[in-house]
Amino acid sequence: DDHPVTAVALDTHITKIGLVGVPDRPGVAALACERLAAAGINIDLVFQALSHENQRADIALTVADRDRDRAVAVCRDTLRELEGRDLVVDGDVAKVSAVGAGVRNHVGVAATMFRALADAGINIQMISTSEIKVSCIVARADASRALNQVHDAFGLDSVN
Amino acid sequence: DDHPVTAVALDTHITKIGLVGVPDRPGVAALACERLAAAGINIDLVFQALSHENQRADIALTVADRDRDRAVAVCRDTLRELEGRDLVVDGDVAKVSAVGAGVRNHVGVAATMFRALADAGINIQMISTSEIKVSCIVARADASRALNQVHDAFGLDSVN
Ligand SMILES: C[C@@H](O)[C@H](N)C(=O)O
Ligand SMILES: C[C@@H](O)[C@H](N)C(=O)O
């Protein structure tokens, strides 16, 4: 299959919220997400990679820009309750995603996407993947270049 | 829709590899994934959450157990080339995923999944999400309990 990726999507209306240095024990991710759900806030993506060596971890998430203020307030309260270390908030982000049935078993799809961004000098802030999608969080200012670079890298027709 | 999640999946044949403290600059994620692709290794999932304060970041990934030795060798070389801080490898992990069309806009799906795991005392090691799936990496020993707890939490028929 010479087109493992069949679409590239861009969402610029998201805000990144990071709960830094929360305890790495059962119930922490649940509490954070429950508090947001209770406030009626839909979580776009959730990111957690490696734990720190001090039994702490970072949980990052993205929400719609329109939910930013309420989500930040909820997360700040949650962080305090968990005795987490810090809250980071960045509205200047965008999500670029490569979508296709070939993502799951086509070796090199992530590499192709990441290389397209790298060649354009675009830094990848967060990564989330599934069997049909690779999503990267980049700076808002890089959004349209990111979309075009990834689009070209997968041999798709011009977006414009 | 009272069944936002329609299936729960489990994969116990995966190994977690973490590239700890790699430079947070364009080209790093690309290099790591290109080296794995060049070795013919398919990446299952890629995880990157928040950067560290010293312009470093962690990139974690999962590969099939059968690819572990080669993947670790490739990642070790890549880490050295990037002057990253550490490589972590853990084969004692499993991926439990909640899948369904309701994940994307049904507030609280992530909360429900994470709470199911928490109530069973299961620690979440890594999180990756998409609009139709929430995946958690847990300890291999927790795998079948994780599957059952999440299954029950979403009101699905028994797996057994
Ligand atoms: C950090 C967070 O994911 C924690 N390990 C939990 O299980 O909730
Ligand atoms: C850490 C890694 O994702 C880096 N920021 C890159 O763009 O490749």
Side-chain angles (χ1 to χ4, degrees):
Chain A
D1 180 359
D2 57 349
H3 284 285
V5 166
T6 47
V8 182
L10 181 69
D11 186 352
T12 57
H13 304 293
I14 52 162
T15 290
K16 166 172 98 172
I17 299 174
L19 295 102
V20 183
V22 292
D24 187 18
R25 62 169 189 247
V28 169
L31 187 74
C33 293
E34 283 169 338
R35 291 290 160 75
L36 288 163
I41 296 163
N42 196 33
I43 294 170
D44 173 52
L45 297 181
V46 184
F47 305 76
Q48 180 181 338
L50 300 169
S51 302
H52 307 311
E53 287 143 354
N54 56 355
Q55 300 192 326
R56 295 254 158 179
D58 301 337
I59 297 174
L61 47 100
T62 49
V63 296
D65 283 339
R66 66 178 173 273
D67 290 333
R68 172 191 173 134
D69 291 347
R70 289 191 306 127
V72 170
V74 169
C75 287
R76 208 176 281 292
D77 286 348
T78 303
L79 190 88
R80 190 175 307 122
E81 182 174 345
L82 292 168
E83 297 185 336
R85 193 160 64 75
D86 196 18
L87 194 77
V88 295
V89 182
D90 188 355
D92 267 343
V93 295
K95 173 177 58 175
V96 58
S97 304
V99 187
V103 170
R104 83 169 293 158
N105 45 28
H106 199 101
V107 172
V109 169
T112 297
M113 181 180 190
F114 301 161
R115 177 54 62 195
L117 296 172
D119 284 351
I122 297 169
N123 197 47
I124 298 166
Q125 298 185 13
M126 305 203 286
I127 299 167
S128 194
T129 59
S130 74
E131 283 80 354
I132 59 164
K133 181 183 281 200
V134 182
S135 291
C136 292
I137 302 300
V138 301
R140 182 81 62 88
D142 293 336
S144 57
R145 275 190 318 122
L147 177 65
N148 289 326
Q149 291 283 339
V150 175
H151 214 254
D152 289 353
F154 286 111
L156 302 175
D157 293 337
S158 170
V159 182
N160 300 315
Chain B
D1 179 1
D2 57 350
H3 284 285
V5 166
T6 47
V8 182
L10 181 68
D11 185 353
T12 57
H13 303 293
I14 53 162
T15 290
K16 167 172 98 172
I17 298 174
L19 294 102
V20 183
V22 292
D24 186 19
R25 63 168 188 247
V28 168
L31 187 74
C33 292
E34 283 170 338
R35 291 289 161 74
L36 288 163
I41 296 164
N42 196 33
I43 295 170
D44 173 54
L45 297 182
V46 184
F47 305 76
Q48 181 182 338
L50 301 170
S51 304
H52 307 309
E53 288 144 353
N54 56 354
Q55 300 191 326
R56 295 255 158 178
D58 300 339
I59 298 174
L61 48 100
T62 49
V63 296
D65 283 339
R66 66 178 173 274
D67 291 331
R68 173 192 173 132
D69 290 348
R70 289 191 306 127
V72 170
V74 168
C75 287
R76 208 174 280 293
D77 286 348
T78 304
L79 191 88
R80 190 173 308 122
E81 181 174 346
L82 292 168
E83 299 184 335
R85 191 160 66 75
D86 196 18
L87 194 77
V88 295
V89 182
D90 188 356
D92 266 344
V93 295
K95 173 177 59 173
V96 57
S97 305
V99 185
V103 171
R104 82 168 292 158
N105 46 27
H106 199 101
V107 172
V109 170
T112 298
M113 181 180 189
F114 300 161
R115 178 52 62 194
L117 296 171
D119 284 351
I122 296 169
N123 197 48
I124 298 167
Q125 298 185 13
M126 305 203 287
I127 298 167
S128 193
T129 60
S130 75
E131 283 80 355
I132 58 162
K133 182 183 283 200
V134 181
S135 292
C136 291
I137 302 300
V138 300
R140 181 81 61 90
D142 292 334
S144 58
R145 274 190 317 122
L147 177 66
N148 289 325
Q149 291 283 338
V150 175
H151 213 254
D152 289 352
F154 287 111
L156 302 174
D157 292 336
S158 171
V159 181
N160 299 315

